[in-house]
Amino acid sequence: MRIAWIGKKSPFCGNVTYSREITNALLDRDHQVSFLHFAQEDSEAHNWPNCQEVSLPFLYKSQVYTIPTFKATKVLTESLREIQPDIVHASLTLSPLDFFLPEICDQLSLPLIATFHTPFAGKGAKLISGTQLLAYQLYAPFLDNYHRVIVFSQIQRELLANMGVREKKIAVIPNGVDIDRYSPGYSTVKAEFKAERLFVYQGRLAPEKNVESLLRAWKQANMAAGSKLLMVGDGPLRTSLEPFYGADSGVIWLGFVADEERRINILRGADGFILPSLVEGLSLSLLEAMACGLACIATDVGADGEVLEKGAGVVLNPKTVRSQLRTLLPLFQDHPELTTLLGQKARKRVLDLYTLSKNITHLEELYQEVLAQRPVKLKWGA
């Protein structure tokens, strides 16, 4: 199958990882993939697919949203006409171009699928004010113009349906992780940081990730000198938080780690993974930690609570993160048998439900379903 993939290569975020993992896996299954993205520079990320690429011009790009130039629509249209794909899959980048895609693909008689990544608060909760709420309100009327919209959980499906997207248009396909790369294994990280017990946060250092609650809880829990907390990631809050939570508190700031092998080595050497977010979609960082056999603690937002339910991890109420972590962190520190057991259960949950292989199989089935419902496409130029 010939697939035109529209996504992101930088700056690093969950959407970038999603595009890289899915396109690589599709190529491994002998599909032809063309990658159209807003990038004019070489990405620092590793393991990008070796396939045809098209750079779309932009004015501004961040982890949250992208502003294309006026020329981007023409470049995209001409590129799709030249590529002649069987199907177009857009990993939505919160860009104005997302709203024009259905019209462009309709003109070219191309079936169009979207993956909608925007995080949300969780079961029955109101979306927090700001970009998340605005994104759902803006996107819902337009998502119904796509042939299918992929989301990561039933909760998100219901949320979009309540906003007017027809349920038949919404497909639930959870994120998946490569269980061969992300697996338990030998690591030197504890020795490197002189840690007896090692805990990890990995993600953006931004308000919606609620990292200050984690850091306050860590400090208030009076963790032992041999316990360390690695903060893996970067973002706007780092400069304001790092001076107050440093090595004297057992907190080590690593910044953004581009090398995937280094990130895997960190996860393999850790005892626990903590994700205190206020909003999420379905965190790939959480799935990667689970696949590496870490005991995981995450808030009940997005689909993360669903991933950890029934004993696969500890699910926190996002309203009381600090007080809960203040109790849980010493418990995880002092009872290695508990973290070992939870890590085994986390790994098994990923093997059962969240492998990249299952994700790709479901995606291929969705492609075939959409193509089967489309009229037979005339040959180009006919």
Side-chain angles (χ1 to χ4, degrees):
M1 188 181 302
R2 189 180 292 113
I3 302 157
W5 183 276
I6 304 172
K8 291 178 72 173
K9 286 190 71 173
S10 65
F12 184 81
C13 61
N15 195 325
V16 170
T17 303
Y18 179 84
S19 287
R20 185 190 68 217
E21 295 298 293
I22 298 294
T23 51
N24 267 320
L26 288 169
L27 287 165
D28 287 342
R29 295 200 183 184
D30 296 325
H31 297 289
Q32 299 177 48
V33 180
S34 298
F35 199 133
L36 299 87
H37 58 95
F38 295 102
Q40 294 170 332
E41 75 286 348
D42 292 332
S43 172
E44 295 180 358
H46 297 271
N47 299 324
W48 277 100
N50 182 18
C51 63
Q52 177 186 6
E53 292 192 26
V54 176
S55 292
L56 302 174
F58 63 93
L59 297 172
Y60 175 80
K61 182 174 57 171
S62 73
Q63 289 179 313
V64 179
Y65 62 92
T66 305
I67 301 176
T69 66
F70 289 113
K71 187 181 176 183
T73 301
K74 182 179 179 181
V75 173
L76 175 63
T77 304
E78 291 177 351
S79 299
L80 290 175
R81 185 175 283 116
E82 180 180 337
I83 293 167
Q84 302 181 28
D86 297 305
I87 201 160
V88 179
H89 188 153
S91 181
L92 297 180
T93 58
L94 296 186
S95 157
L97 199 59
D98 299 341
F99 302 106
F100 297 110
L101 273 173
E103 182 179 349
I104 293 170
C105 288
D106 184 60
Q107 291 173 354
L108 299 175
S109 298
L110 294 173
L112 174 63
I113 290 174
T115 299
F116 188 59
H117 296 265
T118 302
F120 59 105
K123 301 171 185 173
K126 293 181 178 179
L127 294 166
I128 63 169
S129 60
T131 56
Q132 287 79 29
L133 176 58
L134 179 62
Y136 274 80
Q137 289 175 330
L138 284 175
Y139 270 82
F142 291 91
L143 290 176
D144 200 62
N145 296 324
Y146 286 74
H147 294 107
R148 290 292 188 281
V149 178
I150 296 171
V151 295
F152 302 132
S153 72
Q154 186 62 33
I155 303 166
Q156 195 179 10
R157 184 176 190 267
E158 293 169 0
L159 181 59
L160 284 175
N162 289 336
M163 290 185 165
V165 182
R166 284 174 286 177
E167 289 195 34
K168 68 179 183 179
K169 292 288 189 82
I170 309 171
V172 178
I173 303 179
N175 275 335
V177 62
D178 185 329
I179 55 173
D180 295 320
R181 286 210 315 274
Y182 289 88
S183 60
Y186 174 74
S187 172
T188 59
V189 167
K190 275 188 177 176
E192 178 184 343
F193 294 109
K194 298 179 174 60
E196 295 174 16
R197 302 288 283 167
L198 190 62
F199 300 87
V200 175
Y201 166 83
Q202 180 174 287
R204 292 186 69 232
L205 301 176
E208 68 271 14
K209 296 297 186 177
N210 200 24
V211 289
E212 188 169 7
S213 290
L214 164 60
L215 293 165
R216 286 186 177 184
W218 180 270
K219 203 166 188 178
Q220 293 169 1
N222 295 315
M223 301 293 281
S227 292
K228 309 292 184 183
L229 173 63
L230 298 186
M231 301 296 292
V232 182
D234 217 333
L237 292 185
R238 181 174 178 178
T239 53
S240 62
L241 292 175
E242 189 172 357
F244 298 98
Y245 304 95
D248 58 332
S249 303
V251 180
I252 301 168
W253 300 78
L254 296 185
F256 170 60
V257 177
D259 186 345
E260 184 180 33
E261 290 305 316
R262 172 65 167 163
R263 295 199 304 272
I264 292 172
N265 191 41
I266 290 169
L267 292 175
R268 285 177 171 172
D271 298 291
F273 179 88
I274 307 156
L275 191 63
S277 304
L278 296 172
V279 294
E280 281 289 349
L282 172 51
S283 170
L284 273 168
S285 292
L286 174 61
L287 292 179
E288 290 167 355
M290 293 172 69
C292 288
L294 272 71
C296 293
I297 303 172
T299 42
D300 191 11
V301 296
D304 289 356
E306 182 181 318
V307 170
L308 293 179
E309 67 184 3
K310 298 179 182 178
V314 178
V315 182
L316 304 180
N317 183 330
K319 296 179 181 178
T320 54
V321 167
R322 184 171 44 156
S323 62
Q324 293 172 91
L325 285 177
R326 207 164 50 225
T327 301
L328 286 167
L329 287 169
L331 185 66
F332 274 40
Q333 169 190 261
D334 298 337
H335 295 278
E337 71 281 359
L338 173 62
T339 53
T340 298
L341 178 61
L342 285 175
Q344 291 169 349
K345 289 186 173 183
R347 169 79 177 171
K348 186 176 186 305
R349 177 61 56 81
V350 169
L351 295 180
D352 289 344
L353 297 174
Y354 299 104
T355 68
L356 181 60
S357 177
K358 286 188 176 73
N359 178 295
I360 298 302
T361 297
H362 292 320
L363 188 57
E364 288 175 322
E365 291 170 351
L366 182 65
Y367 288 168
Q368 294 293 351
E369 177 186 317
V370 170
L371 287 171
Q373 293 175 356
R374 296 284 294 165
V376 176
K377 186 173 69 174
L378 294 175
K379 289 184 178 181
W380 290 81

